[in-house]
Amino acid sequence: MKEFDKKVLDFIQAEQLFTAKSRILVACSGGVDSMVLLHFLALHRQRLDIEVGAVHVDHMLRGEESAADAVLVEDFCTELAVPFYSGSVPVPLILEQKGGNVQAVCREGRYAFFEQIMKDYHYERLATAHHAEDQLETVLMQVTKGNHALGMPTKRAIGEGLLIRPFLPVVKEALYAYATKFEIHFHEDPSNSSRAYMRNRFRQEVVPHIIRENPVAAEKVVGLTKELQADEALLQTYAKEWIDRNLTFSSEGFPCIDIRTFNAMPTALQRRAIPLLLGYLYHKKNRPIAYGSELIENLMVHLRSKEGNVAIDLPLGFRFIREYDKFTFVSRDEIQEKDVSQVVPIGRQVTWMNNTWLYWGHAEDVQPSIWSAATEIMYFDLPDGSLPFSVRTRKEGDRMMLPGMTSAKRLSRLFIDEKVGKVLRDDLPVLLTKKGSVCAVPGLRYGEVFTKNKTATSKYIFLVGKI
């Protein structure tokens, strides 16, 4: 066992899985892998200067057999003088009430319990007994599903602590040999032989062929995934740095990127930048969102295209919008047709859509504070019967007479000519006379009654500013 011990201990040190005085909670099912891990860490706890505990979860799927597993682990903990924690997850009841995948429900409930025990009893690490063949199976499953073949990480966050995998460098055969040497009793879960699960099919039918071709294939895959994970971490860092340099936000707080800037980024970083951007949408939802490779590829295709505008629905009520040279994300609720209308009385600032103000009055009566804050200044003259103005959102069929034209132009055509995206069109104010004629779209274009320079006939002034 000296070679086994050295391999695992060297791996723990090289990967910095824990430090002196760490409290390690071992996830122990009663199978050979986790029972050996519990024994190994308990055996070396003084050398490693750690505290060890064990946690077991009954998924209530196998009746008395499940209860026997808990007794086995508890008795082993008593023998090893380590604390034992147990709990149950009513998987059959959850499936009956909510449906779902058996393995997914088991895993979610199991890890939620692990995390709670870690928090309640102050454990910094959760140790699981995944080994080299587990890593090989994971990589094969990832390739089969069309995902990146990165395997399982050696350590990852769980709650406020870390999940660690000290046995990744060793093979299953070595675990059985260890159990034999130390006379460790364990139970084999009958579900491990079921062909209903993808991992079991790989374990029974695919992995043995690979091992026969190359007996050290599993260990080689562990080294390969370590390199791939390091490469991935570096690319993620580069993508994050690029996002930080180029990301802007809309007035609603949604991320926006210039498409030309995005397309200048290497493809490898683009693929990693998109999930980072999606993360800005979901970080307040307090729930993980799976970003499938198909969705990321679909978004990349539309980002590279130069034809027209595109809108794609996303999970939890969001939408991807590509309009001309910019793409952003919006809430689907916010792009429904708006019906906003209000009067703009003389001599009073009116707020539009929470970030713009409008003002009109006698040209000689404007206060300096309002004048200096304006981003647009226009002059006009209209008969009293055409005032006051009102402002509303656009409507189908809106037309406006522009300077130099002999007929009114459709606003829909104007928006296209000015490259105004569909989302922005719904936010722009449409200014109307008292008689209902469209005379301006402040922030975009003004009709024939307005001039930029004050003339002898300019009785009124029109101002626009940002809040």
Side-chain angles (χ1 to χ4, degrees):
M1 287 292 103
K2 288 184 178 180
E3 182 180 349
F4 179 91
D5 289 2
K6 185 177 187 307
K7 181 177 288 189
V8 176
L9 292 172
D10 287 350
F11 183 76
I12 289 173
Q13 182 177 7
E15 298 298 324
Q16 299 180 334
L17 298 189
F18 46 76
T19 59
K21 308 301 181 184
S22 292
R23 287 173 55 80
I24 314 298
L25 184 67
V26 179
C28 194
S29 65
V32 62
D33 305 348
S34 58
M35 294 290 273
V36 169
L37 176 61
L38 178 57
H39 184 278
F40 180 89
L41 291 178
L43 183 65
H44 293 282
R45 58 189 148 186
Q46 289 185 343
R47 175 178 178 176
L48 296 170
D49 193 15
I50 59 174
E51 296 181 44
V52 179
V55 60
H56 175 83
V57 172
D58 181 356
H59 300 108
M60 305 179 70
L61 290 170
R62 295 183 290 116
E64 293 183 1
E65 287 185 1
S66 295
D69 289 343
V71 172
L72 175 69
V73 177
E74 184 175 12
D75 289 345
F76 194 44
C77 287
T78 300
E79 179 183 334
L80 296 174
V82 300
F84 171 72
Y85 311 93
S86 67
S88 61
V89 177
V91 173
L93 180 61
I94 294 173
L95 292 172
E96 180 182 347
Q97 295 178 343
K98 301 181 180 180
N101 176 275
V102 176
Q103 285 188 314
V105 171
C106 287
R107 187 182 188 281
E108 183 177 347
R110 180 169 68 248
Y111 277 89
F113 182 74
F114 292 162
E115 187 174 335
Q116 189 62 51
I117 293 297
M118 292 177 69
K119 181 179 179 181
D120 291 346
Y121 295 94
H122 311 291
Y123 284 92
E124 299 97 9
R125 303 289 189 271
L126 174 72
T128 64
H130 296 105
H131 50 77
E133 279 103 330
D134 289 328
Q135 187 72 299
L136 175 57
E137 293 161 9
T138 300
V139 168
L140 293 171
M141 292 167 63
Q142 289 170 337
V143 171
T144 302
K145 295 177 180 179
N147 299 327
H148 287 181
L150 298 174
M152 298 177 288
T154 303
K155 53 188 175 183
R156 68 167 176 82
I158 177 171
E160 298 178 359
L162 283 179
L163 183 151
I164 58 174
R165 297 184 168 98
F167 275 2
L168 275 186
V170 297
V171 295
K172 183 88 169 188
E173 182 181 4
L175 301 182
Y176 279 120
Y178 187 105
T180 299
K181 175 177 175 56
F182 289 99
E183 299 181 349
I184 298 173
H185 298 288
F186 57 88
H187 290 171
E188 294 283 5
D189 187 340
S191 66
N192 289 336
S193 61
S194 171
R195 296 186 73 260
Y197 303 122
M198 183 180 186
R199 182 175 290 277
N200 289 351
R201 294 194 295 273
F202 275 91
R203 180 174 298 162
Q204 297 166 16
E205 302 172 14
V206 180
V207 170
H209 291 285
I210 295 175
I211 299 299
R212 280 195 293 271
E213 289 291 330
N214 181 3
V216 295
E219 292 121 308
K220 292 293 185 183
V221 164
V222 171
L224 176 62
T225 54
K226 180 180 177 181
E227 295 175 0
L228 292 174
Q229 290 167 13
D231 293 346
E232 178 66 20
L234 180 62
L235 290 171
Q236 289 285 353
T237 298
Y238 287 156
K240 179 65 166 57
E241 290 175 350
W242 184 93
I243 289 292
D244 291 342
R245 288 195 305 269
N246 296 281
L247 185 66
T248 59
F249 291 90
S250 67
S251 57
E252 291 80 17
F254 293 110
C256 306
I257 291 286
D258 181 87
I259 291 178
R260 292 166 299 185
T261 304
F262 182 88
N263 286 330
M265 181 170 51
T267 302
L269 299 187
Q270 291 177 2
R271 295 184 184 280
R272 290 158 177 84
I274 289 176
L276 292 174
L277 291 168
L278 292 171
Y280 281 97
L281 300 182
Y282 300 112
H283 76 285
K284 292 182 179 179
K285 296 295 182 180
N286 295 320
R287 58 180 294 187
I289 301 296
Y291 310 128
S293 57
E294 291 185 4
L295 172 60
I296 293 175
E297 186 62 35
N298 191 20
L299 295 180
M300 288 187 64
V301 167
H302 290 299
L303 286 168
R304 290 167 178 165
S305 175
K306 298 180 180 179
E307 299 180 1
N309 300 320
V310 173
I312 300 174
D313 287 338
L314 301 171
L316 301 185
F318 293 106
R319 181 173 289 182
F320 163 92
I321 301 288
R322 191 203 73 213
E323 296 177 329
Y324 302 107
D325 293 330
K326 185 175 75 171
F327 82 83
T328 188
F329 300 95
V330 298
S331 167
R332 289 202 293 269
D333 293 338
E334 294 183 9
I335 59 178
Q336 303 301 318
E337 184 176 352
K338 298 183 176 86
D339 183 16
V340 180
S341 178
Q342 62 188 114
V343 173
V344 186
I346 187 171
R348 188 185 305 170
Q349 284 179 284
V350 170
T351 300
W352 175 259
M353 296 293 185
N354 297 324
N355 61 1
T356 301
W357 57 263
L358 311 174
Y359 173 95
W360 72 279
H362 290 281
E364 292 80 11
D365 296 340
V366 182
Q367 297 178 8
S369 59
I370 298 177
W371 183 294
S372 62
T375 56
E376 294 180 10
I377 301 174
M378 302 295 291
Y379 296 92
F380 69 95
D381 187 26
L382 282 172
D384 292 342
S386 297
L387 298 170
F389 291 121
S390 64
V391 64
R392 62 164 169 77
T393 50
R394 68 187 179 102
K395 291 184 178 180
E396 187 66 30
D398 279 345
R399 295 173 179 268
M400 180 170 62
M401 185 66 73
L402 297 174
M405 298 189 68
T406 58
S407 60
K409 185 170 185 174
R410 283 183 174 271
L411 292 192
S412 58
R413 184 70 250 177
L414 176 64
F415 292 145
I416 293 173
D417 292 345
E418 297 288 339
K419 294 187 176 182
V420 179
K422 291 182 179 180
V423 176
L424 181 57
R425 296 175 195 181
D426 291 332
D427 289 342
L428 284 173
V430 176
L431 195 69
L432 296 92
T433 66
K434 187 176 182 179
K435 296 180 179 180
S437 299
V438 176
C439 59
V441 182
L444 184 66
R445 291 288 298 275
Y446 289 83
E448 61 178 356
V449 300
F450 291 89
T451 61
K452 288 186 177 181
N453 299 314
K454 191 175 186 303
T455 66
T457 59
S458 299
K459 183 178 180 181
Y460 301 104
I461 191 171
F462 187 85
L463 303 174
V464 180
K466 296 293 183 181
I467 297 175

